[in-house]
Amino acid sequence: MFAQKRLGKELSNIHKSLPPGIAIASTPDFTNWKMDIQVLDSNPLYADQIYRLNFKFSGSYPIEAPEVTFIKEDGRDIPMHPHIYSNGVICLDLLGTNWSPVQNVESVCMSIQSMLTSNTKNERPPGDDTFVRSGYRSPRNINFVYDDNTV
Amino acid sequence: MDIDIPDPTDWLQTPIPGLQALESSLRCQVCKELFTAPKVTSCGHTFCSLCIRRYLSTSSKCPTCMKPDEEPRLRDNILVSELVGSFNTIRKQLLDTLRAKEKEKEEEEEARRRRKAEEEEEEEKERVTSIQPRAEKRRPYDDDDDDDIMEDAEPIYRKGKRPRQDTTIAPRYPQETGPPTRRSTRTSSQRTNSRILSSQTVVILDSDDEFLPEEDEISDNDDFRSNNNHNNNNNNNNNGSRAKRKAISRGVPETPTKNSDMVACPICTRLKDKSKVEAHVNRCLEGKRSPSPTPIKATNGPGTPLKRQPVSFANIPKPQQRAPYTDEEKKELRLPKGNASLTKEADIRKKLREFGIKYDAKGKESKQVLWARLQEWTNMWNANLDSATPKSKETLRRELEAYERHQSTQKPSVVQDKGFERDAWSKGHRSEFEALVAAARKSAAARKKENGVVEAGPKDQQLLDSMAGVQAELNGIDSPEVVEA
């Protein structure tokens, strides 16, 4: 209802225009969208790579943040980044405490794109192994501590 | 996407793409709709009433700038609601007109290109067979053009004709010295006439000033004043305002021409000395009575010098006990938000009952659920009061139910979400789980027999994974269909 209406508007919007490096992979319904993002500059870490983002929307979508993770699909890998766990979970305040309904799918994609663009470290977050093994599948239940403002 | 959703990007296909920016600022950033009952936050951002209320009940900050804000500080944004209203009424018309224009332009462009191509072709032909006269050549081209018109739809017809007419008629007029120019001279002479007339009237108005002394004399005459108070007041009204205007224009307030001139204040109609009238008028405009005793004042309150009542708390009138709200007024009242931890579950139930909202009578719903329902109702109710076209209580109730149904079914089925009731789930699907576990044990035992004990660990893991998959599937199947808006 509320969420679907808003997502419908966003969908028609992104069908008409999207910023460079961002593309729609699949939008089967109003609960789950997949977007392809690409880093456009010559960052050696991500050159010529396309990554797939998975958006999950709850019924109270613009009020509540969507769940956004990277997924391995169609040969897309999970990018190396000190804030991205190897299971695709992204540690980004925008998707947690700093979410605001003014954001939308496009702006989230752009934020993640710029987060990748500005990164120079070829590493995973500390404690990646234990985190991945602990089996969280939904970032909703994780309390991140957003301590690093450099990236 | 074949459904037509009105969107700011619609304007990109029109001759004025700048309208996109205009429309996107008339849309709420939360729901992306045109504002309904716009509210402005204390930081100056505007949102729909319901959107901002909903968001502020989850976190107390502005969605745009993240500055802290609270619901009671929201204010109506009347200008924006007017803007949205007027924009919405013209939107479709404007869009259609602009689109038609753009289409027309494109078609024209197309026609021109075609014509050009044809001309080039003809020139080519001409070059090859340069014997035939040009006039005869023109004809087939015109016919061609007409054929195009016949082929295409109506708009082309209009467009194909109109510019040609325009080009033939438009330049002809200025050259002609016939009727059109004559008419224009006539109108201009009329205009000058009227101008003279108006200037004459202006002169008359100005000469009114010369009557000033006469009126002054009238007001000077005391008996006359008392007898013809009514008439006099009117005259003096004009007089006073003129005097004021004069004084202002001259910028010299304290230059009385006649000392005994009495002028009525245009606001309180009291007679004043001409030299003091301006100051008096200023005071009157500020809403204060003149503190200095004046002749008229003196007659009004004879013998009593202006005395201020001493200020003391005893003199302050006690605020009257507000009359209890009438039913009409009650309908207009915004509901308070309340506090979740201070409100007892029974109170929430009572309130819900008062509003006529359904809840589980057996008490199966937790306080959290009831509170969320009450909050949503409060938001909806308050936002409804803000809107220009309020809905009925019954409609609101239905909307609340739909909203809640939607919220509960839209929960993602990933692992476990907040409201997942593990016990109920495992009880409800006990038989399926048991069957699965039995099957897993069986196949594990069979494999053990085959391979020995070596690979037991990973296999088990695999089985568990498959079970989780089945569970997720069940979850998906079990959830009722999504309610369409």
Side-chain angles (χ1 to χ4, degrees):
Chain A
M1 204 169 69
F2 194 54
Q4 288 182 348
K5 242 179 175 174
R6 147 99 187 220
L7 282 169
K9 284 187 185 300
E10 277 190 42
L11 192 59
S12 74
N13 217 336
I14 59 174
H15 265 292
K16 281 179 193 153
S17 67
L18 265 178
I22 297 170
I24 304 168
S26 72
T27 53
D29 52 22
F30 288 140
T31 57
N32 194 343
W33 289 6
K34 284 170 183 161
M35 303 288 289
D36 276 343
I37 68 166
Q38 200 177 352
V39 176
L40 292 173
D41 70 344
S42 55
N43 190 333
L45 281 172
Y46 313 112
D48 304 327
Q49 287 274 5
I50 301 174
Y51 301 103
R52 182 155 290 180
L53 280 171
N54 191 28
F55 284 76
K56 279 204 171 77
F57 305 103
S58 74
S60 44
Y61 159 55
I63 304 293
E64 216 169 74
E67 289 177 23
V68 186
T69 50
F70 279 102
I71 48 169
K72 283 186 188 175
E73 198 182 76
D74 288 353
R76 314 293 208 251
D77 217 346
I78 299 200
M80 280 303 253
H81 191 281
H83 292 169
I84 298 172
Y85 291 93
S86 52
N87 58 358
V89 172
I90 307 164
C91 174
L92 181 63
D93 61 347
L94 191 78
L95 302 171
T97 54
N98 268 5
W99 168 257
S100 139
V102 172
Q103 310 282 354
N104 53 35
V105 172
E106 190 185 318
S107 72
V108 168
C109 285
M110 282 168 74
S111 302
I112 295 174
Q113 196 184 27
S114 75
M115 177 176 134
L116 293 183
T117 309
S118 56
N119 176 40
T120 51
K121 296 180 196 153
N122 185 16
E123 59 183 34
R124 292 281 177 212
D128 180 49
D129 280 353
T130 46
F131 177 79
V132 172
R133 235 183 297 132
S134 66
Y136 280 114
R137 276 207 244 160
S138 161
R140 185 184 298 276
N141 304 327
I142 311 166
N143 289 321
F144 283 118
V145 179
Y146 304 109
D147 51 354
D148 186 1
N149 292 324
T150 55
V151 186
Chain B
M1 292 302 295
D2 42 0
I3 325 148
D4 183 40
I5 301 172
D7 191 73
T9 48
D10 291 344
W11 301 106
L12 292 178
Q13 286 111 37
T14 67
I16 314 173
L19 282 169
Q20 186 202 8
L22 175 71
E23 188 178 327
S24 41
S25 21
L26 287 181
R27 280 176 183 274
C28 169
Q29 287 291 297
V30 176
C31 64
K32 308 275 180 195
E33 300 267 4
L34 288 171
F35 288 113
T36 43
K39 284 274 179 185
V40 62
T41 60
S42 51
C43 48
H45 295 105
T46 306
F47 303 94
C48 292
S49 180
L50 186 57
C51 298
I52 187 67
R53 282 173 196 277
R54 262 186 194 149
Y55 185 68
L56 286 180
S57 46
T58 60
S59 70
S60 300
K61 52 191 178 183
C62 166
T64 305
C65 62
M66 297 291 185
K67 274 189 190 145
D69 204 352
E70 289 147 357
E71 225 189 295
R73 291 162 83 180
L74 296 175
R75 291 286 171 269
D76 284 335
N77 204 340
I78 293 162
L79 177 74
V80 169
S81 81
E82 280 167 10
L83 282 176
V84 167
S86 45
F87 180 75
N88 207 12
T89 49
I90 59 159
R91 186 181 191 277
K92 198 173 179 298
Q93 209 183 342
L94 188 62
L95 192 61
D96 287 348
T97 319
L98 288 180
R99 271 182 178 159
K101 206 155 208 178
E102 181 74 2
K103 211 177 162 193
E104 218 167 82
K105 217 167 88 186
E106 265 169 30
E107 277 165 4
E108 213 167 288
E109 200 93 330
E110 180 73 15
R112 198 176 300 148
R113 228 177 309 144
R114 219 182 297 154
R115 220 172 293 161
K116 209 174 173 188
E118 274 169 22
E119 250 166 50
E120 272 170 16
E121 214 173 84
E122 261 170 48
E123 271 173 29
E124 195 76 6
K125 255 191 220 166
E126 220 169 283
R127 231 173 281 152
V128 178
T129 62
S130 56
I131 318 137
Q132 277 179 295
R134 216 202 167 104
E136 274 182 20
K137 286 242 149 183
R138 272 281 169 207
R139 284 216 70 80
Y141 150 69
D142 272 350
D143 286 348
D144 245 359
D145 200 21
D146 281 345
D147 280 351
D148 283 347
I149 289 159
M150 297 289 270
E151 274 164 27
D152 282 327
E154 196 193 0
I156 260 205
Y157 175 75
R158 261 198 284 128
K159 179 226 75 219
K161 277 264 138 90
R162 208 195 286 142
R164 226 180 288 159
Q165 276 177 357
D166 286 351
T167 48
T168 50
I169 292 166
R172 206 188 292 151
Y173 266 107
Q175 288 162 4
E176 268 176 3
T177 48
T181 41
R182 208 179 64 202
R183 194 188 294 150
S184 72
T185 52
R186 194 195 293 153
T187 51
S188 74
S189 67
Q190 273 173 348
R191 219 177 296 137
T192 48
N193 270 344
S194 67
R195 207 179 297 148
I196 287 162
L197 261 174
S198 68
S199 67
Q200 272 169 355
T201 53
V202 167
V203 166
I204 287 163
L205 279 174
D206 282 346
S207 67
D208 211 29
D209 261 342
E210 289 158 24
F211 296 125
L212 241 173
E214 220 176 275
E215 280 172 12
D216 286 343
E217 272 162 33
I218 290 165
S219 56
D220 264 0
N221 188 340
D222 270 6
D223 291 335
F224 196 86
R225 189 206 310 155
S226 51
N227 287 340
N228 297 354
N229 218 353
H230 236 356
N231 183 21
N232 210 2
N233 268 350
N234 282 343
N235 280 342
N236 282 326
N237 247 344
N238 295 339
N239 212 347
S241 58
R242 199 178 298 122
K244 185 187 155 206
R245 218 186 303 140
K246 253 182 172 172
I248 288 167
S249 65
R250 275 187 211 148
V252 190
E254 299 289 32
T255 46
T257 43
K258 278 185 205 170
N259 250 4
S260 53
D261 273 356
M262 293 301 278
V263 167
C265 166
I267 290 151
C268 64
T269 68
R270 254 177 282 181
L271 289 171
K272 292 277 146 186
D273 197 279
K274 211 176 181 186
S275 58
K276 287 175 188 157
V277 77
E278 205 212 332
H280 171 83
V281 165
N282 282 344
R283 272 197 302 274
C284 260
L285 284 174
E286 283 165 16
K288 292 174 202 156
R289 290 267 171 265
S290 60
S292 61
T294 55
I296 295 292
K297 240 213 154 121
T299 53
N300 275 355
T304 48
L306 207 78
K307 215 163 86 185
R308 281 263 163 83
Q309 290 260 325
V311 177
S312 82
F313 289 107
N315 285 344
I316 295 172
K318 269 189 184 165
Q320 279 187 337
Q321 199 73 42
R322 195 178 51 202
Y325 289 116
T326 60
D327 283 351
E328 275 308 301
E329 279 173 327
K330 261 184 195 166
K331 277 179 201 158
E332 293 289 305
L333 280 184
R334 307 285 194 281
L335 300 174
K337 258 330 196 20
N339 183 320
S341 47
L342 291 179
T343 318
K344 286 186 192 124
E345 199 176 321
D347 293 339
I348 302 175
R349 278 171 206 281
K350 200 179 146 201
K351 276 199 174 154
L352 288 175
R353 198 161 51 234
E354 260 173 43
F355 299 133
I357 302 163
K358 282 179 201 156
Y359 61 91
D360 196 273
K362 286 172 199 156
K364 272 185 187 167
E365 288 163 323
S366 68
K367 185 185 170 187
Q368 226 178 347
V369 174
L370 293 174
W371 178 252
R373 189 171 301 159
L374 185 63
Q375 289 291 296
E376 184 52 33
W377 174 258
T378 312
N379 287 338
M380 283 181 148
W381 177 265
N382 291 349
N384 189 45
L385 288 181
D386 292 334
S387 96
T389 51
K391 299 167 197 158
S392 73
K393 204 170 178 180
E394 197 42 51
T395 329
L396 276 190
R397 240 175 257 149
R398 264 200 305 274
E399 268 177 23
L400 175 70
E401 271 168 40
Y403 179 79
E404 246 185 37
R405 224 167 22 232
H406 181 75
Q407 294 294 82
S408 57
T409 50
Q410 274 266 306
K411 289 238 168 92
S413 56
V414 218
V415 198
Q416 276 175 23
D417 47 63
K418 282 179 210 154
F420 184 75
E421 287 172 47
R422 176 186 268 256
D423 288 343
W425 182 264
S426 54
K427 254 181 218 161
H429 298 275
R430 179 175 287 268
S431 57
E432 280 132 314
F433 284 133
E434 274 170 358
L436 278 172
V437 170
R441 286 229 175 91
K442 211 168 146 190
S443 64
R447 262 197 214 104
K448 217 185 221 171
K449 250 181 213 166
E450 276 177 25
N451 304 350
V453 205
V454 198
E455 279 177 289
K459 277 273 159 60
D460 277 348
Q461 191 58 44
Q462 211 175 319
L463 281 169
L464 283 174
D465 276 354
S466 72
M467 269 174 63
V470 171
Q471 187 177 336
E473 218 170 281
L474 280 169
N475 197 347
I477 292 164
D478 217 54
S479 61
E481 352 173 325
V482 173
V483 188
E484 288 296 329

